[in-house]
Amino acid sequence: MSQLDVLIMGNPYKLACKEGEEAALQAAVAYLDEKMCAIRDAGKVKGNDRIAVTAALGIAAELLVTKSPDGPLSGMTMAEIKQKISGMHAVLDVALAPQENLF
């Protein structure tokens, strides 16, 4: 196993991966960092946990579109997918709002 020190949104992480998979992990980290920083910089989502969940939902939606032609997002335009993700954000906002008072 290899260990990589990476930064995601400026926070350090030590990640493990199989030998020879370092480049793929670095690419995944860069992609996630880009998505999370874009969400943070848009200013609509606060808190690293919420940013991570929002990024994960967006990445999962991308995966479903590319991986399964008959999946739940098949036949949808990017505008429809973005609208669906916005709906997910709204649900997350309602579900996570009570937790904001804890911090």
Side-chain angles (χ1 to χ4, degrees):
M1 292 293 274
S2 289
Q3 288 194 341
L4 297 174
D5 292 315
V6 300
L7 290 175
I8 300 173
M9 275 190 14
N11 295 311
Y13 295 90
K14 186 176 285 288
L15 304 175
C17 67
K18 294 179 183 176
E19 293 288 337
E21 294 183 359
E22 295 89 350
L25 181 57
Q26 287 284 11
V29 166
Y31 189 71
L32 178 60
D33 183 56
E34 178 185 334
K35 294 292 185 181
M36 289 180 68
C37 287
I39 292 165
R40 178 199 61 206
D41 295 344
K44 294 181 181 179
V45 179
K46 295 180 183 175
N48 288 350
D49 291 346
R50 296 180 91 178
I51 291 169
V53 169
T54 302
L57 284 171
I59 293 168
E62 291 173 8
L63 176 66
L64 290 173
V65 168
T66 59
K67 213 173 170 174
S68 178
D70 58 351
L73 301 178
S74 67
M76 295 177 75
T77 65
M78 283 305 291
E80 291 168 323
I81 292 169
K82 287 180 181 181
Q83 185 176 18
K84 190 171 204 68
I85 291 171
S86 292
M88 291 177 193
H89 288 185
V91 170
L92 282 170
D93 287 343
V94 170
L96 296 174
Q99 293 182 13
E100 288 186 15
N101 295 331
L102 299 175
F103 304 101

